[in-house]
Amino acid sequence: MNFPILHIPVVGDGMTIALNAVLHVCISHGLAIGLMGMVVLFQTLTWKGKGQFWADIARKVLGPLVVITTSIGAVTGVGIWVLTGSLAPEGIGALIHLFFWPWFIEWFAFTAEVILLLYYYYNWEKLITTRPGKLAAIGWAYVATSFVSAVLITGILGFMLTPQGWPWARSFTEAYFNPTFAPQCFLRVGGGFAMGTLMMMGWIAWRFTGTPLERGRALRACGIALLLSVAVTAAASYVYFSRVPSTYLTHWKFAVATSYLSQMPDFLPAANVGAVLVLVLAALAAMARPPVLSRLLCIPALLLSICFVMEFERVREFVRGPYLMPGYMHASQITLVESEAMIAENQPLLPRLRWVNTSDKLPPATQAARALFAANCGVCHAESGINGIDQRLAGRSADGINAMLGITQRLAPYMTPFVGSEQERTLLTEYLFQLSSNYSRRNQQATREK
Amino acid sequence: MQQWTDLFLNMPLPENWMKGLLFITFGLHLLFVLLMLGTAILSLLFFLRDLLRQPSPSQHWNEHVAHSHMGLKSLAVVLGVAPLLIMQVSHSQAFFTVTVLFSYSWLAIIPLLITAFLLFDAFAHKLGSTTWLALVCGIVGVAALLTVPAIFTGALALMERPASWADFAAHGVSLDTDWMPHWVLRYLHIVGAALAFGAAFHLFYSAKNDAPKAVLLRKWLIGALAVQAIIGFALLATILPQMSSPVLTLISLGALALGSALWILRPDSTAAAYRLLALLPLIFVTMLLARQLLQNEAMAPAQAEATAWRAQKAAELAPFSQKALDAFAVKLRTVYDNGDTIYDGACEPCHGLDGRGVGSESHRLRIPATDLAALRIDRDYAYEMIRDGTPGTGMPYFRMFDREKIDALLDTLDRRFSMFAATPPPPRDISPDSLEVWIAACAKCHAANGSVTASGKAMQPPPPDFRRSSVTHERALKIITEGYPGTGMPAYRNQPEKIREDLAIISNSFRAAHNKN
């Protein structure tokens, strides 16, 4: 590979990216699209003569919303680039070369979005009484650009899952306008609105100090919006998942529920149905107007909607199987064609790695084995820690590990193939066996000490 | 050569267009970064100065300055996306190499910026009301903010020095790093520029109707520009060997504009401050253009070398494209929702298609894979073994398959090998001699009742639990006679055949007695 390889120890690459990405999605979808949409809607209701309290609620929410979206939301968005550039330079580099123009155009939409948001925020006091219609127009323009921004980025994200056409046709349109494009747009926007309405509902139920009648009307509006959002999200999710190739979806339970819970067949479907029920109940409670139930339900409903975001992102990332870019590149950043050529000719991998970490002053064999591990396995497994390979292989014999290395792709459908010569496979086997033996020894010692 | 063998060879625009786009977008980004950084530093300094003069100073004007920070920082961040995108395409070699080499500092930008932005927002919100909170938030927030340009300038300095990459990878950064003076001066140059542009911005934005504040900001501006001139010359000295005529021309022009700006700002000047509006962009554009020319010249060779290497590799790999696509097509069609697919993928390499333990990878195993065709065990016992694997052998756990998949696999095992069939009852009575041998030898590990003793459990791999597992009589006899290679099961070929036959019957009788399916 052309670039140095970095993997985050203990926490692992996947968890590091997930922590940043989930936070970003919750803010970019929930706040920037959903909550901001509700703010603009409420302000518009005041402009249309439905009462001053709508705008009062919107103004109270707007300040923290702008601070969080422009601080945490924007930085975690750029953070995804920073992280992927560090952890998967070949992957993100290839993706950027393919999708340069949508990303570049999205930059305009993103910039317009920020300018409109700032204009809306800074000019609120000046326009709310004198020109509320103009303020609402700016607000709706913001909502429109945030939708355009979501649409533009969805093509790139959807491509990772549904590549049925692109690897063969090699055209941009095949890659970008993939089968999950439209449902994913509705899913993201609908989900964002659901989160936004829940946040708004929570604020009104807990913090609004207007009359009970005003609070009841505001809660009812949130309830209706939440119910609609949930319905759109559910319908879009159904279409979306029906378009993802079955081979990728086959492991969704394991992806979400871990190996322990995935052994309980009904756990995940029941948990999902239960979560949807809580969301619907929260919507119905808000529509019924008394704030007590909304106060009680908005918190679990919001937490569950965050769980849904985590589940969706986890499934989206995991079910890509062994590919970083399906049909083109494995998760290990080795292209399919290179892996095919090297396996066919029993070529060694080490001479192809332009960078090998020599800073630890390890014996040459260990250094080589660590480089092989980093290149072949490191994207999913840390040596130790979350999904640590030492724990995963604990108790297996060395010859068993060697056999497994040869059949990684057959062993589990989402594992990448081992790339390297027979000699390198033996080298890596010895290293992995040593790691797993150390883990077993530590475990036995810990058991004895107990 | 097929293009898709290496997407890095796909360029969205000709090289010069990319350079032009980078210049424009980076210029916009940098401008707002300088305004944002300058605003933050100046606002904190004004706050500290006022605080030292009186305990509860009025911060009305400073609030106005500080509140502009949110808009500036939002635009600085969003405008940074385009140059980041273009750099990743046009200077991919330097960008990604240094991004990884600089990784932990680079990743630290995320928490640092979030901390800085939130704390500065809190500072702006509290500086007129809660002094101590504003003080803490302001100092920590601006300190966090100031670390970010240090990281960026370090990464850029390294990007422009391909010859130093290997040394940096091996030793990291230290005070005697040869480009350290350049880095430090470049960082100070950015901070100085931020103060200059921040002061100029607020001169026209926050203090346009406030003469005393305008005087204050003019002082800051003249000071910052003067310091910039000094730092700039020192910085030039660190890159003197890389100078070319166009770069020198641009720098001279920028220096001339800077001198003119200082002349306009001199204390007794009556010149309109608005003349600065022409000079400051000129300084900015000339310096930025000079910087980009230097950067392009420094990065071009490594980029060209990497592109040539990729093109050559793509040509070599092209013959394997179709094969890779075919394999991918097979993978796309394979759905792991049935036991046959799982068995043929995950189990066959060791156990073989006929279950006899001689699959394609079985020759690597010191302990032979179990002969599934001869196995007769309880379904839940088989489930546990598949789920958890067998310690001490090559049998991995298959917890990565959810319960339905393992159940489907168990169905397949039963259909193909009758694995869960009942164990036939013992065909005849066992001789007392054989029972004695069982108690004396076998029961040490297998236990008298067919379960596993404590010492058996300590073995790697442990023996099977005969109450839940058996094998065909022929297989049992073979294992008793020859032992099980690689495990604690020894060969008992010295025992008379009659006894071995009896031992085979005994070992299968426990499951037969439980008669469990």
Side-chain angles (χ1 to χ4, degrees):
Chain A
M1 275 181 285
N2 207 16
F3 305 116
I5 298 172
L6 168 77
H7 296 305
I8 308 291
V10 185
V11 179
D13 298 6
M15 183 60 80
T16 308
I17 293 176
L19 287 172
N20 182 85
V22 168
L23 185 57
H24 175 70
V25 169
C26 286
I27 294 172
S28 66
H29 294 26
L31 270 74
I33 295 178
L35 189 56
M36 190 57 198
M38 292 301 285
V39 165
V40 176
L41 176 71
F42 279 19
Q43 185 255 315
T44 306
L45 288 174
T46 296
W47 170 47
K48 290 291 175 191
K50 304 290 180 190
Q52 179 58 35
F53 69 97
W54 296 104
D56 293 344
I57 294 171
R59 183 64 189 90
K60 288 275 186 191
V61 171
L62 183 62
L65 186 153
V66 174
V67 168
I68 294 171
T69 48
T70 57
S71 301
I72 309 175
V75 175
T76 47
V78 177
I80 294 175
W81 289 58
V82 171
L83 276 161
T84 49
S86 301
L87 298 173
E90 289 279 355
I92 193 73
L95 207 64
I96 281 167
H97 278 79
L98 181 61
F99 290 117
F100 178 82
W101 287 116
W103 249 319
F104 191 69
I105 296 165
E106 202 260 348
W107 173 67
F108 283 99
F110 190 22
T111 307
E113 202 182 321
V114 170
I115 291 171
L116 287 166
L117 177 67
L118 292 171
Y119 189 89
Y120 189 78
Y121 172 66
Y122 279 125
N123 290 286
W124 176 285
E125 306 301 343
K126 201 166 73 183
L127 297 178
I128 188 67
T129 46
T130 54
R131 302 186 66 188
K134 182 182 175 184
L135 191 62
I138 299 294
W140 287 112
Y142 165 85
V143 173
T145 50
S146 68
F147 181 75
V148 169
S149 181
V151 168
L152 283 165
I153 206 75
T154 301
I156 299 165
L157 297 171
F159 159 76
M160 294 178 179
L161 280 191
T162 46
Q164 289 96 324
W166 178 75
W168 290 273
R170 296 196 295 276
S171 80
F172 167 79
T173 45
E174 287 273 9
Y176 193 70
F177 298 103
N178 53 72
T180 60
F181 187 105
Q184 198 176 162
C185 279
F186 284 103
L187 199 164
R188 287 179 178 279
V189 173
F193 262 98
M195 291 183 80
T197 50
L198 271 169
M199 286 183 231
M200 184 62 105
M201 182 193 296
W203 191 89
I204 294 165
W206 286 97
R207 303 294 304 273
F208 182 61
T209 51
T211 67
L213 181 69
E214 289 169 347
R215 182 160 56 193
R217 286 175 67 191
L219 277 177
R220 185 165 177 271
C222 289
I224 294 169
L226 177 59
L227 207 58
L228 285 173
S229 307
V230 169
V232 169
T233 312
S237 300
Y238 176 78
V239 179
Y240 172 83
F241 284 111
S242 67
R243 290 183 179 182
V244 174
S246 307
T247 186
Y248 294 159
L249 271 186
T250 187
H251 267 67
W252 80 275
K253 279 187 185 172
F254 174 69
V256 177
T258 74
S259 56
Y260 177 73
L261 293 174
S262 71
Q263 298 306 310
M264 304 176 189
D266 300 327
F267 172 78
L268 259 186
N272 279 320
V273 170
V276 172
L277 274 178
V278 172
L279 289 175
V280 172
L281 278 177
L284 294 175
M287 285 163 73
R289 301 187 180 198
V292 183
L293 269 178
S294 291
R295 279 183 195 157
L296 286 176
L297 282 168
C298 71
I299 295 170
L302 194 57
L303 290 175
L304 287 169
S305 64
I306 294 170
C307 289
F308 270 132
V309 170
M310 289 160 71
E311 179 176 355
F312 171 70
E313 294 299 329
R314 173 72 175 158
V315 170
R316 193 180 67 80
E317 285 296 318
F318 195 92
V319 300
R320 276 190 278 132
Y323 309 109
L324 197 55
M325 290 173 72
Y328 177 72
M329 184 181 280
H330 282 120
S332 53
Q333 300 187 74
I334 299 170
T335 55
L336 269 59
V337 65
E338 183 165 19
S339 141
E340 199 67 48
M342 290 177 71
I343 291 169
E345 296 171 357
N346 189 31
Q347 288 179 12
L349 178 67
L350 286 168
R352 292 197 173 223
L353 301 180
R354 286 189 155 191
W355 293 88
V356 172
N357 185 359
T358 56
S359 59
D360 287 341
K361 311 282 181 218
L362 295 165
T366 311
Q367 208 166 72
R370 288 190 81 171
L372 288 168
F373 176 79
N376 274 292
C377 329
V379 67
C380 300
H381 296 284
E383 289 190 358
S384 198
I386 296 175
N387 201 21
I389 197 72
D390 58 346
Q391 184 189 353
R392 295 280 174 259
L393 290 174
R396 308 306 137 197
S397 59
D399 51 293
I401 293 172
N402 189 269
M404 277 185 243
L405 277 177
I407 56 163
T408 46
Q409 269 193 301
R410 300 179 66 183
L411 204 61
Y414 50 78
M415 279 178 71
T416 55
F418 169 78
V419 179
S421 64
E422 273 290 320
Q423 198 188 356
E424 288 176 334
R425 181 168 160 182
T426 309
L427 204 60
L428 182 56
T429 298
E430 285 165 6
Y431 184 65
L432 293 177
F433 184 64
Q434 191 189 335
L435 284 176
S436 63
S437 302
N438 289 344
Y439 176 86
S440 302
R441 206 172 302 126
R442 282 200 307 273
N443 247 19
Q444 280 163 8
Q445 196 174 343
T447 313
R448 272 200 300 273
E449 282 168 4
K450 275 182 191 168
Chain B
M1 183 188 77
Q2 297 180 58
Q3 270 196 328
W4 75 277
T5 49
D6 196 328
L7 279 171
F8 275 76
L9 298 170
N10 264 0
M11 295 305 287
L13 277 174
E15 198 181 339
N16 284 336
W17 280 92
M18 293 299 282
K19 285 177 185 167
L21 268 186
L22 182 59
F23 175 75
I24 294 166
T25 55
F26 185 74
L28 278 170
H29 166 64
L30 185 64
L31 179 63
F32 279 91
V33 165
L34 296 179
L35 296 179
M36 176 260 290
L37 193 60
T39 296
I41 299 171
L42 284 172
S43 183
L44 178 65
L45 290 176
F46 293 152
F47 174 72
L48 291 174
R49 188 199 60 164
D50 292 346
L51 198 63
L52 290 172
R53 287 181 179 172
Q54 48 184 302
S56 300
S58 163
Q59 291 293 323
H60 181 68
W61 177 74
N62 199 10
E63 277 177 327
H64 190 44
V65 173
H67 278 301
S68 67
H69 181 263
M70 191 168 70
L72 296 171
K73 70 120 191 274
S74 305
L75 286 165
V77 172
V78 68
L79 290 169
V81 170
L84 192 66
L85 176 73
I86 299 165
M87 278 284 277
Q88 289 179 349
V89 174
S90 61
H91 298 101
S92 54
Q93 184 62 18
F95 180 86
F96 287 119
T97 305
V98 170
T99 294
V100 186
L101 293 180
F102 227 68
S103 53
Y104 287 108
S105 307
W106 193 249
L107 296 179
I109 286 174
I110 305 170
L112 280 171
L113 269 183
I114 291 176
T115 307
F117 288 169
L118 287 178
L119 288 179
F120 197 84
D121 281 335
F123 168 77
H125 192 61
K126 293 289 179 190
L127 86 168
S129 56
T130 318
T131 308
W132 69 268
L133 188 59
L135 183 69
V136 174
C137 290
I139 290 175
V140 180
V142 172
L145 197 59
L146 281 170
T147 55
V148 176
I151 296 169
F152 273 117
T153 47
L156 281 169
L158 187 59
M159 272 185 219
E160 292 159 10
R161 286 165 180 73
S164 301
W165 292 351
D167 182 60
F168 183 86
H171 306 111
V173 68
S174 61
L175 285 176
D176 59 349
T177 303
D178 59 357
W179 46 279
M180 180 61 85
H182 173 81
W183 181 1
V184 172
L185 288 165
R186 196 164 175 170
Y187 171 65
L188 294 175
H189 197 56
I190 287 287
V191 176
L195 281 171
F197 277 82
F201 173 68
H202 288 289
L203 183 63
F204 296 108
Y205 174 69
S206 311
K208 58 183 174 189
N209 299 321
D210 188 338
K213 300 299 178 196
V215 171
L216 175 70
L217 286 167
R218 281 174 76 103
K219 281 183 187 167
W220 271 102
L221 182 54
I222 195 169
L225 286 177
V227 171
Q228 276 301 83
I230 298 165
I231 297 173
F233 277 114
L235 184 61
L236 274 182
T238 65
I239 47 172
L240 215 48
Q242 298 155 40
M243 289 294 158
S244 60
S245 324
V247 173
L248 273 175
T249 309
L250 285 165
I251 290 174
S252 306
L253 194 60
L256 202 64
L258 192 141
S260 306
L262 284 171
W263 178 254
I264 289 173
L265 285 164
R266 71 191 188 283
D268 55 344
S269 168
T270 51
Y274 281 88
R275 287 188 191 174
L276 282 170
L277 284 179
L279 287 173
L280 288 174
L282 185 63
I283 300 171
F284 183 74
V285 168
T286 49
M287 293 300 180
L288 192 66
L289 209 51
R291 189 203 72 97
Q292 189 163 333
L293 285 180
L294 281 167
Q295 195 177 63
N296 288 341
E297 282 166 22
M299 292 185 188
Q303 182 65 32
E305 187 200 329
T307 307
W309 178 76
R310 283 181 180 278
Q312 185 199 339
K313 205 176 71 164
E316 285 168 13
L317 294 174
F320 294 91
S321 299
Q322 194 54 49
K323 203 175 166 196
L325 277 177
D326 293 345
F328 176 64
V330 170
K331 192 89 176 168
L332 265 185
R333 286 196 301 270
T334 309
V335 183
Y336 287 75
D337 61 354
N338 62 82
D340 286 321
T341 302
I342 297 170
Y343 184 87
D344 294 346
C347 313
E348 184 283 331
C350 295
H351 295 285
L353 272 179
D354 60 0
R356 295 280 175 195
V358 276
S360 51
E361 290 288 319
S362 61
H363 65 281
R364 294 179 187 275
L365 301 176
R366 193 169 52 89
I367 303 174
T370 302
D371 180 349
L372 300 177
L375 201 59
R376 299 287 175 268
I377 66 172
D378 294 352
R379 190 179 166 106
D380 53 355
Y381 193 46
Y383 165 69
E384 286 164 22
M385 290 171 95
I386 292 169
R387 186 191 61 193
D388 301 332
T390 308
T393 72
M395 174 71 185
Y397 66 76
F398 283 96
R399 288 194 294 268
M400 63 281 222
F401 291 116
D402 55 52
R403 183 64 198 250
E404 288 107 315
K405 289 184 185 53
I406 298 182
D407 276 335
L409 174 62
L410 291 170
D411 291 343
T412 295
L413 291 173
D414 196 32
R415 183 167 42 77
R416 290 193 185 184
F417 311 121
S418 304
M419 241 171 71
F420 310 131
T423 306
R428 55 180 165 75
D429 290 339
I430 306 299
S431 74
D433 289 351
S434 302
L435 274 175
E436 271 180 34
V437 174
W438 170 262
I439 298 296
C442 310
K444 283 181 180 162
C445 300
H446 292 289
N449 66 352
S451 64
V452 185
T453 61
S455 56
K457 282 178 187 162
M459 295 170 80
Q460 292 275 335
D465 184 339
F466 284 146
R467 296 170 305 177
R468 306 172 73 190
S469 159
S470 67
V471 289
T472 57
H473 181 77
E474 296 72 26
R475 177 70 181 150
L477 188 62
K478 186 172 162 56
I479 293 172
I480 291 165
T481 307
E482 298 174 6
Y484 205 113
T487 72
M489 176 69 195
Y492 286 96
R493 62 173 64 88
N494 293 337
Q495 292 287 345
E497 190 181 351
K498 175 75 176 57
I499 289 194
R500 283 186 277 125
E501 287 276 356
D502 281 356
L503 291 177
I505 292 170
I506 293 171
S507 63
N508 282 339
S509 65
F510 301 105
R511 181 166 186 263
H514 279 73
N515 198 23
K516 192 175 173 186
N517 271 312

